[in-house]
Amino acid sequence: MPRPGQSRTTPEERLPERMALGLLFRTFPPELVDRVVAECGRAERRSRLLPARTVVYFVLAICLFEQRSYEQVAQLLTEGLAWARQERTLCTVPTTAAISRARARLGPEPLAALFTELARQSRPAGARTRCARFRQWAVLAIDGTTVDVPDTPENRARYGPSPSRPVPAPTGDSASDTAPRPGPASRSASASGSGFPQVHVVALAECGSHRITGAVLGRLPSGGPPAPLARALFTTLTHGDLLLADCGPADLELLHVARAAGAEVLWRIGLGTGLPVHVGLPDGSYLSDAPCGATGARTAVRVIEEPPYRLVTSLLDPEAAPAGLLAALYDRRWDIRTSLRDLGALSPEGPQVLRSRWPGGVEQEVWGHLLVHHTIRSLLGSA
């Protein structure tokens, strides 16, 4: 019987689901999945009912069919693999316990590596061909979201409780991913501070295409911004990128990381951030300098006072990038909110807590949702 919030399909309704699975098989061909699995050291040494390749497809499928139970997804995947002739070894529907053990063997690393490979393949020769542009720069945005995960000792130890309230006592078997998933009411309670552990996801997205091209995940530091997570994403920037973001005074110290990668920045900062006026410019902006890392050095920036924004940018020439145009361009930063809303269970308005009751499974799910999102966005871009 389907769990609350889950639905049962008839055979006639399964054709669209098989087509959706076919899209996954086409985007992630078996040879690509096998290569990534082998590179991560997860290739099997003996024949199994659930080889690593099939488990990768299963994780993608539970993210694609969020309202289906493990058993339903396993049935769909078994039929879909046979229908698409992609897999001959899976001839019977595995049990839920077997699936949980297979997911634990796989770990999150192959899914993360698959996302990295997909993002690399979508940028031939380093070009962002479907990205919105400002003059010669490709426009990207960075932002983060927190996602509730089941309250188990393992998840709480890795991600901590929601910062607003202490967590309730855990219930159920922490080793199982098969317990009922909290539904919309539980999600709403968590959003108001119920104390679910939360995994923090920081994403880098192309404005215009809404395609997420980089992501990192971990625990949200208490009392400050997730600078270490953002720093890891900055290293994926390249020459010709223009990064839009909100930032605090401490985040300005990451500016040199983006600049070292060859990217330009356009960031909104707080009105109370102290940036001295060095040279006033004809368009109303002025040249200043900002702290650059822990060495005490400073880097040249340009400040644009354009209510309701106060912007800091590495584009110092007002003729090449007039203040009014940059202020209007900053509105594109909200494109990433569209990207995050499209992430299903990872969306800030997502209807459910993730399924997985252990950190490796949580990270598998997060990467699975990012891979499904990338697949759908790439399909829409091609269309």
Side-chain angles (χ1 to χ4, degrees):
M1 177 180 295
R3 303 184 195 126
Q6 295 175 333
S7 58
R8 184 182 296 278
T9 59
T10 64
E12 293 76 14
E13 294 173 328
R14 289 180 180 173
L15 181 58
E17 293 174 332
R18 291 181 180 179
M19 293 174 66
L21 285 172
L23 176 62
L24 289 182
F25 301 148
R26 178 180 177 182
T27 306
F28 309 104
E31 56 271 16
L32 171 61
V33 176
D34 289 345
R35 176 168 63 81
V36 169
V37 166
E39 290 173 352
C40 294
R42 296 298 192 275
E44 295 83 6
R45 296 184 179 180
R46 61 186 178 90
S47 178
R48 295 182 181 273
L49 172 64
L50 282 167
R53 178 205 300 173
T54 302
V55 182
V56 169
Y57 287 137
F58 179 83
V59 174
L60 295 174
I62 63 173
C63 297
L64 185 61
F65 306 117
E66 295 179 68
Q67 300 305 317
R68 301 284 183 263
S69 68
Y70 258 33
E71 296 85 350
Q72 291 171 334
V73 173
Q75 180 68 44
L76 284 169
L77 186 61
T78 301
E79 296 173 355
L81 287 169
W83 180 67
R85 296 184 178 179
Q86 296 287 330
E87 181 71 71
R88 296 181 179 274
T89 60
L90 189 59
C91 54
T92 59
V93 178
T95 65
T96 297
I99 293 170
S100 296
R101 290 193 296 269
R103 287 188 62 195
R105 287 195 304 270
L106 182 71
E109 292 81 6
L111 279 297
L114 194 58
F115 181 84
T116 301
E117 178 66 16
L118 197 67
R120 185 191 65 80
Q121 290 182 3
S122 67
R123 289 176 51 196
R128 301 186 188 272
T129 54
R130 295 176 182 149
C131 188
R133 306 194 74 81
F134 174 75
R135 304 283 170 89
Q136 68 266 38
W137 295 286
V139 182
L140 298 97
I142 189 171
D143 203 355
T145 184
T146 54
V147 185
D148 292 342
V149 301
D151 178 30
T152 65
E154 294 89 346
N155 285 344
R156 198 184 317 147
R158 173 71 66 88
Y159 305 115
S162 172
S164 54
R165 286 178 55 186
V167 296
T171 58
D173 180 6
S174 63
S176 172
D177 291 346
T178 63
R181 299 172 60 188
S186 299
R187 178 71 176 195
S188 299
S190 177
S192 62
S194 69
F196 278 104
Q198 294 179 322
V199 57
H200 190 69
V201 183
V202 182
L204 178 70
E206 295 178 347
C207 296
S209 72
H210 303 296
R211 187 165 53 189
I212 294 176
T213 61
V216 290
L217 49 137
R219 179 171 180 160
L220 179 65
S222 58
L229 295 181
R231 182 188 295 269
L233 276 185
F234 284 5
T235 59
T236 68
L237 298 170
T238 188
H239 182 76
D241 290 342
L242 174 58
L243 179 66
L244 312 182
D246 277 350
C247 73
D251 296 322
L252 281 175
E253 297 188 1
L254 294 179
L255 189 149
H256 74 287
V257 181
R259 297 293 294 121
E264 306 290 347
V265 304
L266 178 62
W267 293 353
R268 183 175 70 169
I269 59 173
L271 296 176
T273 305
L275 294 173
V277 179
H278 293 331
V279 179
L281 299 173
D283 63 354
S285 62
Y286 60 89
L287 298 181
S288 182
D289 57 56
C292 181
T295 62
R298 301 180 74 87
T299 185
V301 295
R302 180 167 152 234
V303 181
I304 301 170
E305 304 281 359
E306 190 79 21
Y309 299 142
R310 187 187 193 201
L311 304 173
V312 60
T313 180
S314 58
L315 300 174
L316 305 181
D317 185 353
E319 293 186 2
L325 292 183
L326 289 179
L329 174 67
Y330 183 76
D331 285 337
R332 295 304 302 261
R333 181 219 177 249
W334 304 110
D335 281 18
I336 194 171
R337 287 295 176 177
T338 300
S339 300
L340 294 176
R341 281 196 299 270
D342 290 345
L343 276 172
L346 303 191
S347 165
E349 297 86 16
Q352 291 180 318
V353 178
L354 294 184
R355 303 174 189 247
S356 301
R357 301 174 65 81
W358 54 287
V362 166
E363 294 173 15
Q364 276 184 353
E365 276 194 76
V366 172
W367 289 115
H369 280 289
L370 289 166
L371 285 161
V372 168
H373 176 270
H374 196 288
T375 300
I376 294 172
R377 274 293 165 189
S378 297
L379 178 65
L380 291 174
S382 298

